[in-house]
Amino acid sequence: MSTTLAQRTGTELVHVPYKAAPLAMADVLSGQIDMTFIDVGTGMPQFKAGKLKALVVASDKRSPLIPDVPTFAEAGLGAFALDAWFVVVAPARTPPDVINKIGRHVSEIVAEPEAAARLRAISIEPEPMAPDQIRAFIKAEKEKWAMLVKAAGIDPE
């Protein structure tokens, strides 16, 4: 993901910062703004009511919650993943054996059918990872976003 959405589509987009996704969604619904990126869970009631149309999912694969909506790649816009993710964290000085034990237990819990179903009900797709996989994932995310910030000419200061 070395280019921005505006560059990929040849359009001019204006970033409008919001403090919360529901505020952006309200402005799309009222016509104040033309589009927004919103997580599937927040948008789902409006998708189901026919008030918002999901155009693409910003993920490497289709969302099981809106399976008829293509990914950016499927829509011809190249890979563009903006997946939200959640991890369990502990203080940096936590011993590795404790980290591994917590990681094992969390992975076991989210893999349980009832827990997985509850997470999916709130639009979270459980993907248990070992601590070393999480570290690699976070490193890759940092690199991806650094490239996007650079491509967009954003000054982090």
Side-chain angles (χ1 to χ4, degrees), residues 6-153:
Q7 291 167 327
R8 287 175 188 215
T9 59
T11 57
E12 184 177 329
L13 299 174
V14 176
H15 176 250
V16 180
Y18 284 88
K19 290 186 178 190
L23 299 174
M25 186 170 58
D27 277 359
V28 170
L29 290 167
S30 71
Q32 294 294 312
I33 60 174
D34 296 321
M35 61 167 267
T36 190
F37 282 87
I38 197 154
D39 65 276
V40 175
T42 300
M44 189 58 76
Q46 303 304 331
F47 302 153
K48 285 182 177 178
K51 294 181 180 180
L52 283 180
K53 180 174 179 158
L55 303 175
V56 293
V57 291
S59 181
D60 293 333
K61 58 187 177 209
R62 289 187 182 211
S63 168
L65 299 169
I66 47 175
D68 295 336
V69 178
T71 67
F72 269 83
E74 291 171 329
L77 296 168
F80 199 83
L82 299 171
D83 296 313
W85 45 272
F86 303 89
V87 297
V88 175
V89 298
R93 293 189 175 122
T94 305
D97 61 321
V98 173
I99 295 290
N100 290 330
K101 184 175 182 178
I102 292 170
R104 253 190 336 274
H105 288 301
V106 170
S107 291
E108 289 168 2
I109 291 167
V110 300
E112 291 177 4
E114 183 180 340
R118 292 181 125 196
L119 289 169
R120 287 186 184 104
I122 58 171
S123 303
I124 297 173
E125 187 62 34
E127 293 187 34
M129 293 184 199
D132 58 331
Q133 291 173 302
I134 292 169
R135 283 188 288 278
F137 174 79
I138 291 171
K139 181 179 184 234
E141 284 289 291
K142 288 168 79 173
E143 291 169 359
K144 175 177 78 173
W145 287 105
M147 284 184 358
L148 181 64
V149 166
K150 185 177 180 179

